Amino acid sequence: MRIIVHKNKCQGHARCWAQAPGIFNLDDEGYILPGDIEVAERDELLASRGARSCPERALEIDATADALLTRLLFNQARGGVK
Amino acid sequence: MVRDFSLFTSPGMQRMPNGDPHAAVACVHDAPPIFYSPNNTRDGRGTWVITRAKDQRRVLQDTATFSSHRSIFASALGENWPMIPLELDPPAHGVFRSLLNPLFSPKRVMVLEPVIRERAITLIDRILAPSTSCDVMKNFAFPFAVSIFLGFLGLSDKELDTFVGWGRDLLHGENVKRTAAALAILGFIDELAAMRRKEPAGDFMSFAVGAQVNGRPLTDEEVRGIGVLLFVAGLDTVATAIGFDLAHLARNLKDQQLLRSEPDRIGLASEELLRAYSTVQMIRVATKDIDFDGAPIRKGDYISCATMIANRDPEEFECPNTIDLAREDNRHTAFAHGPHRCLGSHLARREIVIGLEEWLSRIPDFRIKEGTAPITFGGHVFGIENLILEWS
């Protein structure tokens, strides 16, 4: 899973960090560091909880990459991308 | 589009024993999501009232259309200068915000935790030793929150009662008292700045007088604008939150029991209590004519975004009037939205959680003392006073 970070929307509530300090990293001012976040499978629940805690809606859960990957793997198992 | 509603004069907003101004205000959700209230400020001005959380977010995030520049403190003195950064708009706002953010960041606040905890324990032990009853506001909430804040500013709490009195007069007093309090605070801040200029003391004011923005030192007016804001913002808010929280726990013994037996829940519960008992109203000024979902907002109009209204929005929160201490996905706006998100929110949150943790671990089952009634009030900042608890 990937979290899309809309850095310009972050206002430093730090609720994501409060939920998952190991996933969401803050700068010295307490605002989210720029750059999207790749989340390991074991952290997905925690990360999505963190993303959903943002009052500004600055964190977007991107499931499209996963869906794509799943489809690719599924198709590969059946002999390649159709 | 015009409604007879006011945070100052509507039913339930007046000072009253055992009031519940938050529940009273939630009634606005029966009305259209935006309306005009002809008498919704201290000085009787009208405001547009934005009731939905998502609309408030839209207003508070759009600083180009909805300005914060109001000189609310200075206007009590017939002057016109901004409290900083609260009453500045971007981009000037961001310069000062970046200057101050590191001092209030979540990591910085973690360092203060032992001091905060020790302060709570000292106060509670002092209450416990001679008594099985106390006035929470006078004996705990105010001395706790204000002394931490004064420590942050580098001030002793010798004059704590004077400062609290100034805050009360400024936020809740009549015009004469309000002006006198504003003058007293201003004199105090100017004098403190002058002292720290002469002899820095490693405290907040020393930081402010030594700080630089855009490669130049702050002007006297900027130092004053920052000093006054920090002073005013720290006097009332955290103490009031703790007061509403302990009043809730005193009246809802199941909730009290839950947090007492499972203190790990206090963090999440404190967020729900912040949602349910928010105390602050944001006001913005329209910078241009705009049609807001059919509401004809005109340049110069006031727009009210009351946190206590957004946080009871049924479109945002399931069963908003039910206080559920285990509520998840609680994106309440007690600290507002947008660039003006409360600078002290991380400090406030830690103080509230630590205050509740230490109170619950030390004071046995408590309730509102028989024959007493906490007094609540609405207005620009909601409040509670005279919260007498007893235990055995």
Side-chain angles (χ1 to χ4, degrees):
Chain A
M1 189 177 78
R2 196 165 62 113
I3 308 270
I4 302 169
V5 174
H6 299 282
K7 164 76 178 160
N8 60 334
K9 278 193 169 181
C10 174
Q11 303 295 355
H13 296 259
R15 304 317 296 150
C16 57
W17 176 82
Q19 292 272 0
I23 297 171
F24 301 97
N25 292 308
L26 307 180
D27 63 19
D28 288 345
E29 291 191 34
Y31 290 57
I32 192 99
L33 289 174
D36 297 347
I37 300 165
E38 293 296 339
V39 180
E41 205 177 316
R42 63 175 185 284
D43 292 334
E44 281 186 352
L45 180 65
L46 205 55
S48 63
R49 216 177 259 166
R52 278 184 287 121
S53 72
C54 178
E56 308 286 349
R57 313 304 195 257
L59 301 170
E60 190 184 329
I61 299 167
D62 178 16
T64 54
D66 293 327
L68 190 66
L69 185 66
T70 310
R71 207 163 55 243
L72 282 172
L73 292 173
F74 179 82
N75 288 334
Q76 242 165 26
R78 272 153 191 77
V81 180
K82 303 254 160 56
Chain B
M1 191 130 286
V2 177
R3 260 194 102 217
D4 181 23
F5 165 85
S6 160
L7 286 172
F8 292 82
T9 57
S10 281
M13 295 299 108
Q14 293 77 13
R15 273 180 104 259
M16 64 172 79
N18 286 324
D20 188 353
H22 297 89
V25 95
C27 297
V28 298
H29 288 294
D30 300 336
I34 173 167
F35 57 88
Y36 192 78
S37 160
N39 176 22
N40 196 33
T41 64
R42 193 203 315 271
D43 49 4
R45 277 194 60 164
T47 76
W48 293 94
V49 177
I50 311 281
T51 67
R52 299 291 192 214
K54 73 169 169 25
D55 292 337
Q56 286 199 8
R57 189 159 60 244
R58 200 173 131 199
V59 169
L60 296 172
Q61 288 180 337
D62 180 1
T63 54
T65 312
F66 302 103
S67 166
S68 294
H69 194 109
R70 288 205 304 138
S71 294
I72 188 167
F73 182 92
S75 69
L77 304 168
E79 296 174 11
N80 182 25
W81 45 266
M83 286 193 283
I84 297 175
L86 183 68
E87 295 181 326
L88 293 179
D89 292 320
H93 167 267
V95 175
F96 289 95
R97 192 64 195 228
S98 280
L99 178 72
L100 300 173
N101 273 332
L103 305 179
F104 292 90
S105 74
K107 283 167 200 164
R108 192 67 171 262
V109 167
M110 278 165 72
V111 179
L112 296 174
E113 181 152 338
V115 179
I116 299 173
R117 198 170 293 282
E118 198 224 299
R119 186 72 198 143
I121 293 170
T122 306
L123 283 164
I124 295 169
D125 283 351
R126 202 179 290 162
I127 292 166
L128 264 177
S131 181
T132 55
S133 165
C134 81
D135 180 344
V136 166
M137 302 315 289
K138 209 171 97 198
N139 301 129
F140 179 57
F142 272 109
F144 173 57
V146 178
S147 70
I148 289 162
F149 177 70
L150 290 177
F152 187 83
L153 281 180
L155 302 169
S156 86
D157 47 18
K158 262 201 321 238
E159 289 182 86
L160 190 136
D161 290 341
T162 311
F163 296 150
V164 170
W166 288 349
R168 194 172 42 234
D169 288 351
L170 183 78
L171 292 171
H172 311 294
E174 299 305 321
N175 278 347
V176 176
K177 276 190 165 176
R178 190 166 161 246
T179 303
L183 273 174
I185 292 170
L186 196 58
F188 176 77
I189 292 294
D190 282 350
E191 193 183 324
L192 183 64
M195 271 164 54
R196 294 299 187 260
R197 259 197 196 95
K198 234 183 256 166
E199 205 175 324
D203 56 15
F204 178 80
M205 254 333 205
S206 308
F207 168 84
V209 298
Q212 294 230 333
V213 289
N214 300 330
R216 59 157 180 89
L218 304 191
T219 66
D220 289 359
E221 193 178 274
E222 286 165 350
V223 169
R224 164 192 276 193
I226 290 173
V228 166
L229 174 62
L230 257 68
F231 190 82
V232 173
L235 279 177
D236 206 54
T237 42
V238 174
T240 302
I242 290 173
F244 276 117
D245 293 358
L246 289 178
H248 174 90
L249 296 177
R251 289 180 173 125
N252 296 273
L253 296 180
K254 260 192 189 161
D255 283 349
Q256 186 183 142
Q257 216 46 60
L258 179 73
L259 298 188
R260 196 189 296 284
S261 57
E262 299 177 52
D264 286 353
R265 290 175 174 270
I266 291 174
L268 193 66
S270 71
E271 294 298 319
E272 173 68 347
L273 293 167
L274 278 166
R275 179 192 73 82
Y277 299 108
S278 310
T279 56
V280 185
Q281 171 189 213
M282 259 70 63
I283 291 186
R284 296 292 183 262
V285 187
T287 59
K288 60 182 179 208
D289 294 356
I290 174 179
D291 177 281
F292 196 96
D293 292 346
I297 296 175
R298 291 290 160 262
K299 184 178 177 178
D301 283 0
Y302 279 11
I303 296 102
S304 157
C305 293
T307 58
M308 56 291 267
I309 293 178
N311 285 336
R312 300 276 184 136
D313 176 2
E315 284 185 10
E316 186 83 355
F317 302 100
E318 202 175 313
C319 302
N321 296 313
T322 302
I323 296 168
D324 170 9
L325 298 190
R327 187 186 290 270
E328 301 268 3
D329 294 339
N330 185 355
R331 287 184 280 194
H332 66 78
T333 69
F335 297 105
H337 277 129
H340 294 283
R341 184 267 310 165
C342 171
L343 177 62
S345 64
H346 307 300
L347 180 59
R349 280 186 154 111
R350 284 321 292 159
E351 287 180 48
I352 291 168
V353 169
I354 291 170
L356 293 180
E357 281 173 356
E358 296 305 328
W359 186 270
L360 283 163
S361 75
R362 271 148 221 276
I363 305 271
D365 292 3
F366 56 88
R367 58 205 167 266
I368 310 267
K369 185 174 182 175
E370 217 168 297
T372 74
I375 290 166
T376 55
F377 50 88
H380 188 70
V381 183
F382 280 20
I384 181 166
E385 55 189 70
N386 188 44
L387 175 60
I388 320 275
L389 299 186
E390 66 176 357
W391 53 90
S392 45

